[in-house]
Amino acid sequence: MIVTIDGPSGAGKSSVSRELARRLGFRFLDTGAMYRAIALAVMQQGVDWQDRADVEAIASAARLELTDDQVLLNGRDVSHKIRRPEVTAAIHHVADNPYIRGLMVDLQQRLASCGATVTEGRDQGTVAFPQAECKIFLTASALERARRRVADLQARGLHAELDDVLAQQAERDHRDMTRAVGRLMQTEEMIELVTDGLTPEEVVDRLEEIVRARMAELHLAPAKQLPTET
Ligand code: DC
């Protein structure tokens, strides 16, 4: 079974999707981390973003390994480095590149073919796994998302002004929703979950309910056990 969770930046997708996968015993794919790792690889090589052929060559040579809580780039743990603001600022060069998106989608499909998977990103239910059994669109208001981003940066010892974060977020939303390939899109079949005012645990509870209901519908899990007669 494939569960896709798409939505804009700051909706809290990664942490709740990871926890959802853990509860279900599914594999977890953080596809944003893949784009981040490729951006970091290019930055580490000091290649100019305008040198498209070089950027694409680095992307195809990069060896990405994803465990449930680590991202390895060519054998090195880059889980923290890929979250740095300078990587976030450069990522659009990678995410807007159709060739690199193709490489990432291939990798996502290969990883998910190994078993039941929860995957989160922008294009998971539309491009990577259009056949997914359960598609969710996770979102929150712009202000709530920006507040969460500020708190998240603060927790990592980084200072950010709310207004700046709001402006950067609006730019990222626009890019995510208008890129030529793999744009963020909410389709009719996606179940929308708006997370304003919900704690992460409440969001995971709700997600788990949605997925388990879908599994029961598809007979992928045993239906609720009937009380045995005495
Ligand atoms: O979810 P995130 O912030 O870690 O994602 C990082 C960037 O990668 C974000 O700007 C959008 C892009 N991305 C994408 O284009 N497609 C995905 N499936 C996942 C992320």
Side-chain angles (χ1 to χ4, degrees):
M1 181 181 193
I2 307 273
V3 178
T4 59
I5 302 186
D6 289 311
S9 69
K13 294 187 304 295
S14 304
S15 47
V16 297
S17 307
R18 175 176 280 111
E19 176 57 16
L20 174 70
R22 198 195 58 75
R23 284 196 196 174
L24 296 167
F26 285 18
R27 156 161 220 166
F28 169 59
L29 276 187
D30 175 354
T31 65
M34 296 180 178
Y35 289 93
R36 288 174 178 277
I38 298 296
L40 179 69
V42 175
M43 290 163 84
Q44 283 179 337
Q45 307 251 342
V47 165
D48 193 302
W49 288 112
Q50 305 318 316
D51 294 337
R52 233 182 131 99
D54 289 351
V55 169
E56 291 174 358
I58 291 171
S60 38
R63 195 159 43 82
L64 289 186
E65 292 162 77
L66 285 105
T67 66
D68 280 355
D69 49 14
Q70 268 190 337
V71 183
L72 303 185
L73 170 64
N74 301 323
R76 293 234 167 110
D77 181 4
V78 293
S79 318
H80 295 293
K81 275 191 190 155
I82 59 169
R83 307 276 159 205
R84 287 190 185 154
E86 61 271 26
V87 175
T88 304
I91 214 155
H92 63 93
H93 295 290
V94 168
D96 289 348
N97 182 309
Y99 172 77
I100 299 178
R101 293 202 75 88
L103 292 177
M104 297 298 105
V105 168
D106 277 354
L107 178 59
Q108 290 152 17
Q109 291 173 342
R110 255 185 291 130
L111 292 171
S113 70
C114 301
T117 303
V118 172
T119 178
E120 68 97 343
R122 305 295 188 283
D123 58 346
Q124 297 302 284
T126 49
V127 178
F129 303 102
Q131 81 291 3
E133 287 84 0
C134 184
K135 300 184 183 183
I136 293 164
F137 193 82
L138 195 74
T139 188
S141 67
L143 190 58
E144 172 102 6
R145 293 189 285 126
R147 283 199 184 122
R148 287 181 192 162
R149 183 70 75 188
V150 170
D152 183 48
L153 289 168
Q154 263 168 5
R156 290 189 280 132
L158 301 163
H159 175 77
E161 294 293 334
L162 184 65
D163 283 349
D164 296 341
V165 171
L166 267 170
Q168 287 158 9
Q169 179 179 275
E171 202 184 306
R172 285 178 79 196
D173 284 353
H174 180 72
R175 275 189 180 279
D176 281 350
M177 290 187 293
T178 56
R179 70 171 47 95
V181 183
R183 74 174 64 103
L184 174 66
M185 202 163 56
Q186 181 171 7
T187 62
E188 255 178 26
E189 59 201 330
M190 292 180 185
I191 298 170
E192 183 187 67
L193 181 56
V194 181
T195 67
D196 285 55
L198 297 180
T199 64
E201 205 194 340
E202 288 168 334
V203 176
V204 181
D205 287 347
R206 184 73 196 101
L207 290 173
E208 191 180 355
E209 269 169 37
I210 294 170
V211 177
R212 292 208 185 272
R214 188 78 182 117
M215 285 169 92
E217 227 174 84
L218 298 169
H219 305 289
L220 287 172
K224 243 193 218 152
Q225 233 175 354
L226 295 170
T228 42
E229 277 187 27
T230 49

